[in-house]
Amino acid sequence: MGIRGLTTFIQNRSHLYLENYELHDTNLVVDGNSIACQLYKWHTSTHDCFGGDYDKFSKTVNDFYDLLAQCNITPHVIFDGGYEKRKVNTVISRMKNKIKSSNLLNSVTETSISVFPLFIRIVFEDVTRERKVNKVRCDFEGDTDIANIASALNCPVLSFDSDYFIFDTLYIPFSTFDMTIKRGKTANKNVYKYICCKIYKVENFLKSFEGLQKTSLPILAVLLGNDYVKRGVFTMFYKNLKIQKCHGNQSDQQKRIKSLLIWLQNETIESALQKVLSRYKKTKRTIILYKIEKAIKGYNCFNSKYMKYLGIDLNIKNKVKIEIDLDKVNNSIEIDDEDEEIPYEEDSSSEEEIFITPNEPDLNLPMEFLQNFRTCIYPPCFMDILVYNQYYCIPQVENNTSNHSHNISFDILSAIYKILTGKTNSLICICRITAYQVGKVKIPPCEVNLPKYEEIKTLNKENKYEYFENVLKIDKNYKKCLNNFPESWHLLLITINYYLNKSNTNWCIVYSIILSKLILSYVDEKIGFFYRSSKIFLKKHSQSRITSKLTYHKPDNVKSALEYINKDDCVNCLKKLIYYFEMDDKMIRNPKIFDRALVHSISEFQSCLLHVDYLNTLLGFPLRSISIAECLNCTFVYNFTKNLNKRSNLDEYVELLLKDSPSILDSFCLIINKVKEFTITEVAMQPMGRKRRKKKTVKEICEEMEHLNIESDNEVELDPNNKFTLLRIC
């Protein structure tokens, strides 16, 4: 949920509320959604403006789990599920902000603007799964269950969410979490490893405000505003609250937090509610009280239903359950219905949005769906589609004068909706509809014959693949193409085929994606990810060209070629290509060089890859799932595509570039030729190099303008012999 300003309030007084803590030899409950973002933001050196470097982020996540393992810390990762109705306004507001940030993001502004790439949470989940870490996905928001599970285990929560200052649980803010290992000694002089951090205990917070009760803290959260009740509702209350001064130049929100805490020192939960609600007429009091009660119950500790998915069989002990005597609150309020009530302020939502009763969904869902969802097989969006008939398109860096990047995947989304719900009506997509606006778009119903959700488990792999094939309109011959490749390539190649048929692109970006896959899956395996930096790599391999000592036999098929890739060729390959993983210095200084249209194409490909993977998952994996971290580095794809767009003959250029890495060159050539052989699309079969355009004469331009009914500047006469006119027209 999040409580605006509370994190800053605590940090400004960290010496009072946060204790130095050595984290080791313990359980740790990890807020998966929050930590994925924090690890990406603070510990991954990547270029957001190109769409995300998932190999780098995967390395960061692995480093995080290595750190925990070395300190004998057992993580239990909890992920959020679908959005709750009460979150819709917040979600849309965040989408708008992300769209604004995406429009402003370029090669210069990326140092101050961050836009999380499409796949960061999926990569975090992939690494969590590969490392066999305990994990579970909640049906909806997981804050309460995270606190409950941590209470049951009597261990801290690692997150960066201000709600955990209200929960009665140990909490480690990620901003205090040092991603390095320290060493300490026990009383017996045994050495142990630990992570240095700071821990929050609610008891320390209460000590600073004598008389403040633990059960009153949720009232603080509600009055400051959260997803249940907007702060603007309590305008009348704030007009009668004595505002306290804060040291330094503190914001109004900081003063408001301090004022509320001092006021709550002398109030019980019932008396506080009585004074707040007394400012309202009876017609609105009941609705507001109901919403406040719902918000307060969200901070209660109880035994979470998700514990069994983590193998936890414990009960929460010695926890205070927050209960409100509603009758006592209502009966003690005296207010004349004719009294003037000052309207709420500071909120852009309508009265209907603020006072509407939460519409909690009745989860009468198939047990098989819930099992797959809670064990993190299904993505969170499946819950939104199934329960609310809605899908939220995650904003990406795009060209905002074009259709949003997920428009290319609507056919796949329509099929997913039909399988999940069995309905033939339209799925509602929440997405960018203009340069800066978010709106609803109805996706046309899917006309492909598809199985019902309950029927999927009865299908064999071949039947599942046929449905998969039909949705993506894959030519039957394309399956012959896939037979030439290892299974780890199949989903990527199918996505490329779909992308070529749906987008206005050329072969340059396809070459780059395939080469990215070769490097991340095969070159990295031979020489390690450590050498992604050109300085570090060249320092180690600064000697002259390496000539492979192995006897090399040129293979005649893709599988053999990939098996023949050797370390020497990998070193030579990266000597040529390592620079493409970095941003050109010229781009850092000049945003005009930044090609937003190319980034838009990369974003479209990412959308295709995401939704093809979703469809594959829903159909029970007719194809092997793809590892994004072993496939996509968007900085490389962007830079290499820009380079290829300058070439008149792509194949000749690649041969020249990789001539010192024959095993990689042969693998690449075999792959690209197979893809061309079985890809039947007008876009894909266009000439691959740049077409040199013949310069038009002034006369031709004038005739063209006349044909198109284009009006010229009234001050400039269109004279075919006038060179100045041509300059003005251009």
Side-chain angles (χ1 to χ4, degrees):
M1 289 181 276
I3 304 162
R4 192 166 64 90
L6 188 55
T7 295
T8 302
F9 186 86
I10 298 291
Q11 287 178 343
N12 288 343
R13 300 158 181 82
S14 59
H15 62 288
L16 297 174
Y17 309 139
L18 300 177
E19 298 178 6
N20 290 329
Y21 190 71
E22 295 181 357
L23 185 66
H24 64 95
D25 297 285
T26 183
N27 289 299
L28 179 69
V29 176
V30 178
D31 182 347
N33 284 47
S34 174
I35 297 306
C37 294
Q38 296 307 315
L39 284 172
Y40 181 85
K41 187 174 182 179
W42 300 113
H43 295 282
T44 308
S45 177
T46 185
H47 299 298
D48 298 356
C49 63
F50 301 132
D53 300 340
Y54 300 109
D55 53 330
K56 294 181 181 179
F57 180 57
S58 176
K59 178 69 164 54
T60 300
V61 179
N62 272 295
D63 289 346
F64 169 70
Y65 283 129
D66 284 340
L67 200 68
L68 299 183
Q70 290 183 61
C71 297
N72 197 28
I73 299 166
T74 303
H76 305 274
V77 185
I78 320 296
F79 294 103
D80 288 339
Y83 296 121
E84 297 176 28
K85 278 288 185 183
R86 64 186 173 88
K87 290 283 289 186
V88 170
N89 290 336
T90 302
V91 172
I92 291 176
S93 175
R94 288 175 181 171
M95 284 181 69
K96 289 178 180 177
N97 289 335
K98 189 170 182 180
I99 288 169
K100 289 178 183 177
S101 297
S102 299
N103 289 334
L104 294 171
L105 183 64
N106 57 46
S107 56
V108 175
T109 62
E110 72 159 11
T111 55
S112 57
I113 298 174
S114 179
V115 175
F116 293 126
L118 188 63
F119 283 104
I120 65 163
R121 284 182 177 140
I122 291 176
V123 171
F124 186 86
E125 287 183 27
D126 286 347
V127 176
T128 303
R129 186 180 299 108
E130 289 164 7
R131 298 189 64 119
K132 296 181 170 54
V133 174
N134 269 357
K135 65 189 180 303
V136 68
R137 191 186 311 285
C138 299
D139 296 339
F140 296 97
E141 188 169 290
D143 291 0
T144 303
D145 288 284
I146 287 170
N148 295 336
I149 292 168
S151 294
L153 293 171
N154 192 28
C155 72
V157 170
L158 180 64
S159 181
F160 198 58
D161 188 331
S162 53
D163 276 316
Y164 295 108
F165 292 122
I166 304 299
F167 285 112
D168 183 14
T169 189
L170 300 172
Y171 168 45
I172 298 173
F174 186 80
S175 58
T176 72
F177 188 86
D178 188 358
M179 287 275 286
T180 57
I181 289 180
K182 308 287 185 182
R183 285 174 173 78
K185 287 185 179 181
T186 64
N188 299 327
K189 296 187 177 180
N190 293 323
V191 177
Y192 63 92
K193 296 178 181 179
Y194 68 91
I195 300 167
C196 188
C197 58
K198 292 183 182 293
I199 197 163
Y200 170 86
K201 297 176 182 176
V202 72
E203 290 78 14
N204 293 338
F205 187 70
L206 297 173
K207 285 178 186 176
S208 298
F209 299 93
E210 187 177 349
L212 182 63
Q213 299 177 21
K214 190 182 295 185
T215 54
S216 297
L217 289 179
I219 289 290
L220 173 69
V222 171
L223 292 176
L224 290 172
N226 61 15
D227 295 324
Y228 284 101
V229 188
K230 302 301 179 186
R231 194 189 72 216
V233 172
F234 304 113
T235 300
M236 182 60 176
F237 167 77
Y238 280 116
K239 287 185 179 293
N240 291 272
L241 180 67
K242 183 180 179 181
I243 300 300
Q244 304 290 326
K245 293 181 180 179
C246 291
H247 293 295
N249 186 21
Q250 298 289 319
S251 66
D252 290 342
Q253 181 71 352
Q254 296 300 298
K255 295 174 184 176
R256 194 177 288 115
I257 293 171
K258 184 177 179 180
S259 304
L260 284 171
L261 286 166
I262 290 174
W263 174 71
L264 284 169
Q265 284 179 281
N266 302 310
E267 304 292 341
T268 65
I269 193 167
E270 283 83 7
S271 67
L273 285 176
Q274 289 165 9
K275 292 181 180 179
V276 172
L277 293 170
S278 65
R279 306 295 177 184
Y280 289 90
K281 297 179 182 179
K282 289 182 179 179
T283 53
K284 291 181 180 177
R285 193 188 307 153
T286 303
I287 298 174
I288 294 174
L289 182 58
Y290 172 77
K291 291 173 75 69
I292 290 174
E293 183 195 18
K294 292 286 291 183
I296 290 173
K297 283 184 176 179
Y299 294 101
N300 268 327
C301 286
F302 54 88
N303 292 321
S304 171
K305 64 184 176 184
Y306 303 109
M307 288 184 185
K308 64 180 182 180
Y309 294 94
L310 299 170
I312 301 171
D313 186 17
L314 297 169
N315 293 318
I316 298 177
K317 300 176 181 178
N318 302 321
K319 293 296 177 182
V320 178
K321 185 176 182 180
I322 305 170
E323 293 182 341
I324 309 171
D325 189 338
L326 297 180
D327 291 334
K328 181 180 178 181
V329 173
N330 265 320
N331 294 335
S332 61
I333 298 174
E334 294 182 3
I335 184 171
D336 186 348
D337 280 353
E338 299 303 319
D339 286 349
E340 181 182 4
E341 178 187 331
I342 297 180
Y344 46 84
E345 300 172 354
E346 304 179 32
D347 191 271
S348 60
S349 304
S350 68
E351 182 172 338
E352 181 182 0
E353 289 174 325
I354 289 178
F355 291 108
I356 191 168
T357 302
N359 181 19
E360 297 297 336
D362 181 18
L363 286 186
N364 185 22
L365 302 178
M367 198 58 225
E368 185 176 352
F369 175 87
L370 290 175
Q371 178 69 21
N372 287 335
F373 190 83
R374 292 170 181 172
T375 54
C376 302
I377 295 173
Y378 289 164
C381 66
F382 280 13
M383 186 67 76
D384 299 324
I385 294 172
L386 191 54
V387 176
Y388 300 120
N389 293 352
Q390 289 189 343
Y391 178 80
Y392 297 87
C393 295
I394 300 173
Q396 300 188 82
V397 185
E398 302 174 341
N399 180 1
N400 63 17
T401 61
S402 303
N403 287 332
H404 66 91
S405 57
H406 295 292
N407 189 73
I408 196 172
S409 302
F410 274 2
D411 289 347
I412 306 174
L413 274 168
S414 181
I416 290 171
Y417 173 68
K418 185 175 182 178
I419 296 171
L420 272 176
T421 66
K423 297 176 181 178
T424 56
N425 57 338
S426 297
L427 172 65
I428 303 297
C429 273
I430 314 297
C431 57
R432 177 178 66 81
I433 54 174
T434 65
Y436 291 94
Q437 293 299 312
V438 172
K440 294 181 179 180
V441 174
K442 287 186 177 181
I443 300 180
C446 179
E447 297 180 357
V448 178
N449 181 35
L450 293 169
K452 295 180 180 178
Y453 178 77
E454 295 78 9
E455 297 173 353
I456 293 175
K457 60 184 177 183
T458 66
L459 302 175
N460 59 36
K461 191 172 182 178
E462 192 65 28
N463 294 143
K464 292 175 182 177
Y465 181 79
E466 286 180 9
Y467 286 118
F468 185 77
E469 204 174 45
N470 292 339
V471 171
L472 301 178
K473 296 181 172 59
I474 301 170
D475 186 89
K476 295 293 182 182
N477 290 327
Y478 204 75
K479 194 171 183 180
K480 297 178 182 177
C481 172
L482 299 181
N483 291 335
N484 293 279
F485 292 84
E487 289 185 3
S488 59
W489 282 80
H490 290 191
L491 201 69
L492 175 65
L493 295 174
I494 284 176
T495 302
I496 289 173
N497 183 70
Y498 178 87
Y499 170 67
L500 286 171
N501 279 288
K502 286 287 185 178
S503 68
N504 296 317
T505 190
N506 59 27
W507 281 101
C508 295
I509 193 169
V510 177
Y511 274 53
S512 301
I513 291 167
I514 289 173
L515 196 51
S516 173
K517 166 69 174 172
L518 274 171
I519 294 171
L520 302 188
S521 292
Y522 297 90
V523 174
D524 278 0
E525 184 183 6
K526 300 291 184 182
I527 63 176
F529 172 87
F530 180 73
Y531 303 118
R532 189 66 79 241
S533 163
S534 60
K535 290 182 180 178
I536 296 174
F537 176 78
L538 294 175
K539 185 177 180 180
K540 184 174 179 65
H541 299 286
S542 58
Q543 66 268 34
S544 58
R545 180 176 66 87
I546 297 173
T547 304
S548 177
K549 297 177 182 179
L550 300 174
T551 303
Y552 179 68
H553 301 283
K554 189 168 184 175
D556 58 359
N557 64 79
V558 175
K559 291 180 181 178
S560 298
L562 293 172
E563 291 174 359
Y564 270 117
I565 291 177
N566 60 75
K567 184 175 180 179
D568 290 347
D569 284 359
C570 291
V571 171
N572 289 333
C573 173
L574 265 196
K575 276 190 173 182
K576 296 286 188 179
L577 301 178
I578 189 69
Y579 303 101
Y580 293 100
F581 289 94
E582 301 168 347
M583 188 186 292
D584 190 331
D585 288 340
K586 293 179 181 178
M587 291 187 67
I588 298 174
R589 298 187 297 270
N590 186 0
K592 292 182 179 180
I593 301 176
F594 180 68
D595 190 342
R596 190 169 290 274
L598 173 54
V599 175
H600 186 92
S601 295
I602 295 172
S603 294
E604 285 187 320
F605 174 76
Q606 290 200 65
S607 178
C608 294
L609 189 57
L610 177 73
H611 295 100
V612 168
D613 190 46
Y614 281 174
L615 179 63
N616 184 54
T617 300
L618 182 57
L619 287 172
F621 300 100
L623 296 176
R624 179 175 164 180
S625 189
I626 193 168
S627 171
I628 303 299
E630 295 179 1
C631 168
L632 205 53
N633 179 298
C634 292
T635 299
F636 176 86
V637 172
Y638 175 93
N639 287 330
F640 199 69
T641 302
K642 284 289 286 184
N643 185 17
L644 291 181
N645 278 326
K646 303 173 185 176
R647 312 298 166 182
S648 58
N649 190 309
L650 300 188
D651 293 328
E652 286 183 3
Y653 176 74
V654 172
E655 285 179 15
L656 181 65
L657 192 68
L658 299 179
K659 63 187 176 79
D660 294 332
S661 309
S663 62
I664 293 175
L665 175 60
D666 287 340
S667 296
F668 178 83
C669 292
L670 285 166
I671 291 167
I672 202 70
N673 289 334
K674 281 295 178 187
V675 173
K676 289 178 186 176
E677 180 183 350
F678 291 97
T679 299
I680 305 173
T681 166
E682 292 181 4
V683 174
M685 298 310 294
Q686 288 175 353
M688 294 172 289
R690 289 188 305 168
K691 290 185 177 179
R692 297 188 178 274
R693 292 183 296 177
K694 182 182 177 182
K695 291 183 179 180
K696 295 180 181 180
T697 64
V698 178
K699 184 176 182 180
E700 287 173 332
I701 293 174
C702 293
E703 290 173 352
E704 187 175 297
M705 291 179 68
E706 184 179 352
H707 174 70
L708 295 173
N709 295 320
I710 297 176
E711 295 183 1
S712 65
D713 189 335
N714 292 331
E715 296 180 3
V716 181
E717 183 180 355
L718 286 177
D719 181 359
N721 299 315
N722 189 338
K723 294 183 180 180
F724 177 72
T725 302
L726 174 62
L727 181 63
R728 289 291 302 272
I729 294 171
C730 294

